[in-house]
Amino acid sequence: MENNNIDWANLDFGYIKTDYRYVCNFKDGAWDEGGLTTDDKVVISECAGVLQYAQTVFEGMKAYTTEDGRIVTFRPDLNAERMENSARRLEMPVFPQDRFIDAVVQTVKANAAYVPPFGSGATLYIRPFMFGSNPVIGVKPADDYQFRVFTTPVGPYFKGGVKPITIRVSDFDRAAPNGTGHIKAGLNYAMSLYAIMDAHRQGFDENMYLDPGTHTKVEETGGANFLFVTKDGKVVTPKSNSILPSITRRSLVYVAKEYLGLEVEEREVYLEEVKDFAECGLCGTAAVISPVGKVVDHGKEMCFPSGMTEMGPVIQKL
């Protein structure tokens, strides 16, 4: 199938309505059979749990066209597992992992015309999400829920090539100690909106959040995990109970070990040692890896040897 109405080469990273989405409802303690629909509107009570108490979780992944014309998705089983963990943490019913994968496959197949062609630089972004749908006025979990999957074709995260970005050490906390930083809950992202806009107003591309307990250890940004490279070529990634377990980071760690033969270390990373790394990158579904050229800690600049014009050699290989 082809869609000749889209200029694949000039797509932004934004929302374009596609033909079908998957919907399944949880009511009276069970999920219904679910299925595809062309209706992109969600109709819920003004008192729905998601609107009153932010009871919602989501995932993000991509589908691609291969060189031989097949359509593939990237590790949806890991997204299914992570959504299950997120749902349990917010006292939501678990959407079974096998049904999650089936829903993703159904939705991608139904929107095959919107999967960008191989070599275009564009992809089909897939967004599964779940929310409390019945009226909830007391502070408690909802009784009814809706699980949905929609897709949208997106262009590359970077237009005109990948350039290293400048980030700042943030005074804000992304997550509370023993909170919800390790799950993909909408409320985590709502909390980060002011901080990221404040960073932009100050001339920075992103925030480096530190651990909420001591403010001495590197955690992540609002939407990506960190990868560091030492001067002797070792890949180091921060370890913390309040970091979202990125599937992209997990995959890059595997690539570093098994494909490139690099030594990889997942451990606590202290802010004071950032200045000694040779390279730094942010990793996530949208960007894969975004190189960082400079970290600014309250006026003190930490510049990586890889510079502000191109990716460092190890991150480039990854």
Side-chain angles (χ1 to χ4, degrees), residues 30 97 112 119 169 179 215 221 281 299:
Q97 293 186 30
V169 175
H215 286 192
T221 70

Side-chain angles (χ1 to χ4, degrees), residues 13 59 267 287:
F13 197 87
E59 280 298 324
R267 61 170 174 81

Side-chain angles (χ1 to χ4, degrees), residues 38-59:
T38 58
D39 187 2
D40 65 323
K41 300 297 187 289
V42 177
V43 180
I44 52 177
S45 166
E46 63 185 352
C47 194
V50 62
L51 301 179
Q52 302 307 316
Y53 302 119
Q55 201 181 15
T56 179
V57 296
F58 69 98
E59 280 298 324

Side-chain angles (χ1 to χ4, degrees), residues 59 82 85-86 89 173-185 188-189 207-213 216-228 236-250 253 265-270 281-284:
E59 280 298 324
R82 190 168 65 181
N85 294 334
S86 296
R89 180 62 176 81
D173 289 333
R174 176 186 160 269
N178 303 312
T180 58
H182 63 294
I183 66 168
K184 205 164 177 66
N188 293 340
Y189 295 82
N207 288 296
M208 172 183 281
Y209 291 107
L210 304 179
D211 71 292
T216 61
K217 292 171 279 192
V218 176
E219 295 228 316
E220 62 166 278
T221 70
N225 283 189
F226 279 102
L227 282 178
F228 296 102
V236 178
T237 181
K239 183 177 184 179
S240 165
N241 290 332
S242 56
I243 290 177
L244 183 73
S246 165
I247 293 165
T248 304
R249 183 194 64 177
R250 182 168 165 179
V253 163
E265 193 172 34
E266 184 177 2
R267 61 170 174 81
E268 292 183 338
V269 174
Y270 285 85
L282 309 180
C283 58

Side-chain angles (χ1 to χ4, degrees), residues 82 101 123 131 133 142 166 185 194 201 205 211 233-234 253 314:
R82 190 168 65 181
I101 295 171
T123 54
F131 56 89
S133 55
T166 300
Y194 177 83
R201 286 188 286 267
D205 297 295
D211 71 292
K234 180 192 299 181
V253 163
V314 174

